[in-house]
Amino acid sequence: MDSNKFTSAGAAHQNTTRQSNVDLKLKLNKFKMLPVTVEFSGGAELLCGNVKKHDVDLPGQQNKWQIRNLLVWIKDNLIQERPELFLLGDTVRPGILVLINDADWELMGELDYELQEKDRIVFISTLHGG
Amino acid sequence: MPRKCGNCTNNAVLKRPKTGDALCKDCFYWAFEEEIHQTIVDAGLFSPGDTVAIGASGGKDSTVLAHTMKVLNDRHDYGLKLILLSVDEGITGYRDDSLETVKRNQQQYDLPLTIVSYEELYGWTMDAIVEQIGLKNNCTFCGVFRRQALDRGAMKLGATKIVTGHNADDIAETVIMNVLRGDIARLRRCTAITTGADGYLPRCKPFKYAYEKEIVMYAYFKQLDYFSTECIYSPNAYRGYARTYIKDLEKIRPSAIIDIIHSGESLSVKKDVKMPQQTVCSVCKFVSSNEVCKACVLLEGLNKGRPRLGIGKTHKERRKWEEDLAEEASRLSLHNTAVSGSSDCGQGCARDEVNGCGSVFVGADEDDVNGDGRRNGCCGGTGSGGCGTTQRENRMPAQKVITARTTMRNLLDF
């Protein structure tokens, strides 16, 4: 991993120091915020103050952002009431449809999908009368 | 990258729960609509020239239903006259908003719209009913009244069929609920695609095999305008539990929904199980499985300050009511003999001192019903039969309710 390179770089001569600077740059780059759009509809918006569209910058992190991390982040940052109506265990409550860039998340790897910049994630609740 | 459509070269947008197929938008629209068409053709739901009332709540199912019916009617030349029919239950902050959606749908689909309200039909809004009954059994009132309201509205419009947006998930829920309640009569009926054919108007469910997920996806991709707030009075409804259960099952095995419907369809009821006979309500003359239909019993309870009358065992509540009346009567008997005279029915009924018993004087009754249908607190006996204190039967003290319903009939011109 990167951190190993850093420890070795700390002890070393010029060449490796230059190398470590490149690594550091890469690392900072990797930790950059990830802008995505999160939308709620079909009643799910009621859980986050009745706001449907949220343009958010996900904080940079060492590992790639997956939908599974996004769900927890949404629960902690966007959901204002009754989080159990959104998240159940580590996934969305059954009956909430998820679309990634307008495609069913079941085609995209569900929780394992790795978020890309400017992705649009839509949550549609079906848990209401018709 | 998303998967490719199993049918063409476009990117797939959805995995169909029923089949597991991945389809693109256009192939999905086509598959969804043509499956509904197949359902309609296989069950012979409509005949050319039918006037079809679409039960429209403004929610996702009925919005997609109205859209699909219009598309299919044009595409396959059904020769149907389509009309939107909405029921206004009188729920502030819910139905008033969703009716706005229906009004927009009327414009968007260019279909005529009629709205019938609980208030004009029964003299009660759901807001007023909930004030009386609370949040525990309110959905019973709403369900019973809505069923009849749709029938009455559709008949008023000269419709020959009613279609509702019940989807596969709804029907699977209903099967589970009827199993849990041991309601064999309903269990047998609830999977039928058309019901009520032997009564007044046949009621069909073209979405019987359509998954909720597909309906919502269809509405989303087509950007159909629908209303999606949960009814403010329904959080305690029994159905909510069945719904969660079905959704959990679907997550594990998507075909569970169709399988439950299949189980319901395949059930056969033992010959010696007594099934209720369909008959005509002796009060309102509508189809009913009892001598007096549930709507009339519920309404009687509301109008007489015993809103629990139609909830659970009617005869138990009636007995309790009679005991209360008898107790009150004995308490007031002294006073009563002093003032009553000819205006009393002679059975010691004194629940409403101002109006007298009200069971003999039909005229006074009518005034009161028209003025304030909820204030009638009397026994409602028919004079000759007394105040009902000795009647243990499930009999309708007819006088008052008939007057209440007469008002309604005039309104709807039956």
Side-chain angles (χ1 to χ4, degrees):
Chain A
M1 283 294 289
D2 294 359
S3 54
N4 291 336
K5 279 187 188 164
F6 274 110
T7 33
S8 60
H13 48 82
Q14 227 175 348
N15 255 358
T16 30
T17 315
R18 195 178 297 141
Q19 181 63 44
S20 78
N21 279 342
V22 174
D23 276 352
L24 191 67
K25 233 180 191 174
L26 272 175
K27 198 163 179 186
L28 282 174
N29 216 17
K30 204 187 214 172
F31 274 44
K32 170 171 102 162
M33 306 258 240
L34 183 66
V36 295
T37 303
V38 180
E39 285 182 38
F40 299 89
S41 70
E45 69 274 18
L46 296 174
L47 303 178
C48 26
N50 216 359
V51 179
K52 289 198 165 198
K53 193 174 169 191
H54 303 255
D55 289 312
V56 296
D57 288 316
L58 299 174
Q61 60 174 32
Q62 191 167 354
N63 300 318
K64 294 219 164 175
W65 273 93
Q66 291 181 327
I67 292 283
R68 76 174 74 247
N69 318 125
L70 177 69
L71 293 180
V72 177
W73 186 88
I74 289 174
K75 187 187 137 218
D76 293 340
N77 293 279
L78 297 180
I79 304 284
Q80 295 175 7
E81 53 175 306
R82 294 175 292 167
E84 71 279 5
L85 291 187
F86 179 72
L87 206 58
L88 211 65
D90 66 345
T91 188
V92 287
R93 190 182 147 141
I96 294 182
L97 304 180
V98 186
L99 291 111
I100 300 167
N101 299 327
D102 263 0
D104 190 352
W105 77 326
E106 291 181 42
L107 298 171
M108 312 282 281
E110 301 195 19
L111 293 172
D112 298 329
Y113 174 80
E114 288 182 358
L115 287 168
Q116 313 293 320
E117 254 183 52
K118 306 259 171 64
D119 269 352
R120 183 164 158 263
I121 317 296
V122 180
F123 298 92
I124 312 175
S125 172
T126 65
L127 300 164
H128 52 76
Chain B
M1 270 317 283
R3 267 163 59 185
K4 290 284 174 203
C5 170
N7 232 13
C8 67
T9 53
N10 293 334
N11 282 342
V13 296
L14 151 132
K15 185 175 173 189
R16 302 198 67 194
K18 224 188 292 187
T19 57
D21 292 343
L23 291 182
C24 71
K25 261 185 209 178
D26 288 331
C27 293
F28 165 59
Y29 294 155
W30 185 260
F32 179 84
E33 289 157 5
E34 287 307 298
E35 270 184 26
I36 306 303
H37 173 62
Q38 207 53 50
T39 308
I40 290 172
V41 171
D42 288 349
L45 291 188
F46 311 116
S47 321
D50 269 341
T51 299
V52 179
I54 302 170
S57 65
K60 57 185 165 50
D61 300 308
S62 58
T63 302
V64 175
L65 180 67
H67 177 88
T68 315
M69 285 300 293
K70 192 170 162 64
V71 166
L72 293 177
N73 192 30
D74 293 343
R75 184 186 296 163
H76 294 287
D77 273 330
Y78 288 166
L80 305 178
K81 185 178 168 222
L82 301 175
I83 38 186
L84 297 173
L85 174 59
S86 292
V87 177
D88 180 1
E89 295 94 345
I91 305 175
T92 313
Y94 171 66
R95 188 52 91 214
D96 42 359
D97 292 346
S98 59
L99 284 175
E100 290 307 313
T101 313
V102 183
K103 285 174 193 161
R104 286 197 301 274
N105 289 343
Q106 171 194 14
Q107 307 287 323
Q108 288 151 359
Y109 306 146
D110 191 25
L111 297 172
L113 164 71
T114 302
I115 300 174
V116 290
S117 75
Y118 282 8
E119 177 124 57
E120 66 172 296
L121 286 174
Y122 306 108
W124 286 80
T125 62
M126 272 312 288
D127 287 341
I129 291 173
V130 168
E131 224 168 85
Q132 293 290 312
I133 190 85
L135 286 170
K136 192 96 191 287
N137 293 297
N138 52 320
C139 293
T140 304
F141 285 87
C142 200
V144 170
F145 285 170
R146 181 168 45 242
R147 193 188 157 75
Q148 219 186 54
L150 262 186
D151 274 327
R152 291 182 183 273
M155 287 170 68
K156 181 177 143 193
L157 292 169
T160 48
K161 304 263 164 66
I162 299 175
V163 289
T164 56
H166 292 102
N167 59 43
D169 298 48
D170 294 331
I171 295 172
E173 277 162 27
T174 310
V175 171
I176 296 293
M177 281 167 70
N178 286 333
V179 168
L180 295 179
R181 286 180 176 144
D183 192 335
I184 305 302
R186 286 211 180 81
L187 184 56
R188 206 167 69 160
R189 259 185 285 143
C190 70
T191 51
I193 189 156
T194 303
T195 51
D198 46 345
Y200 277 78
L201 279 181
R203 224 168 229 263
C204 334
K205 303 170 192 144
F207 283 175
K208 180 184 170 188
Y209 299 114
Y211 273 57
E212 190 157 70
K213 175 182 171 184
E214 297 199 354
I215 291 172
V216 173
M217 289 292 215
Y218 187 92
Y220 175 78
F221 289 134
K222 288 244 175 193
Q223 297 185 317
L224 301 183
D225 180 7
Y226 72 87
F227 179 81
S228 56
T229 304
E230 185 62 81
C231 172
I232 51 172
Y233 292 143
S234 76
N236 288 318
Y238 195 47
R239 182 172 285 276
Y241 296 103
R243 173 176 282 264
T244 310
Y245 175 61
I246 295 287
K247 291 283 184 275
D248 289 348
L249 287 180
E250 183 191 12
K251 184 80 197 149
I252 301 164
R253 200 169 60 105
S255 69
I257 290 176
I258 282 295
D259 296 340
I260 291 171
I261 297 177
H262 178 67
S263 304
E265 287 171 337
S266 313
L267 269 178
S268 66
V269 176
K270 268 194 289 181
K271 285 237 166 52
D272 54 344
V273 173
K274 208 177 129 209
M275 301 299 286
Q277 295 297 307
Q278 196 135 79
T279 166
V280 170
C281 170
S282 61
V283 179
C284 70
K285 310 296 176 222
F286 234 72
V287 232
S288 163
S289 46
N290 293 303
E291 198 207 327
V292 177
C293 74
K294 192 80 171 167
C296 283
V297 176
L298 288 171
L299 199 58
E300 186 204 1
L302 282 173
N303 286 336
K304 296 188 179 155
R306 303 292 296 205
R308 300 195 55 80
L309 189 63
I311 309 286
K313 300 242 186 287
T314 297
H315 65 273
K316 275 193 189 159
E317 177 65 18
R318 216 175 267 281
R319 195 182 312 148
K320 220 170 93 202
W321 182 9
E322 284 155 8
E323 282 163 13
D324 288 355
L325 282 178
E327 195 185 307
E328 210 170 323
S330 62
R331 208 160 12 96
L332 290 168
S333 60
L334 269 176
H335 169 74
N336 214 31
T337 39
V339 293
S340 65
S342 61
S343 71
D344 188 47
C345 70
Q347 299 288 321
C349 168
R351 199 182 154 81
D352 188 340
E353 287 174 306
V354 182
N355 290 327
C357 160
S359 55
V360 182
F361 296 94
V362 179
D365 233 61
E366 252 162 354
D367 286 343
D368 196 41
V369 166
N370 290 334
D372 175 7
R374 291 162 217 175
R375 221 152 46 83
N376 284 306
C378 187
C379 69
T382 50
S384 62
C387 293
T389 38
T390 53
Q391 299 160 13
R392 296 249 179 265
E393 287 298 315
N394 197 358
R395 206 177 76 92
M396 193 74 173
Q399 199 72 67
K400 233 160 246 173
V401 175
I402 285 178
T403 35
R405 301 302 283 259
T406 312
T407 327
M408 173 190 75
R409 272 197 212 112
N410 291 344
L411 269 169
L412 278 185
D413 205 19
F414 283 124

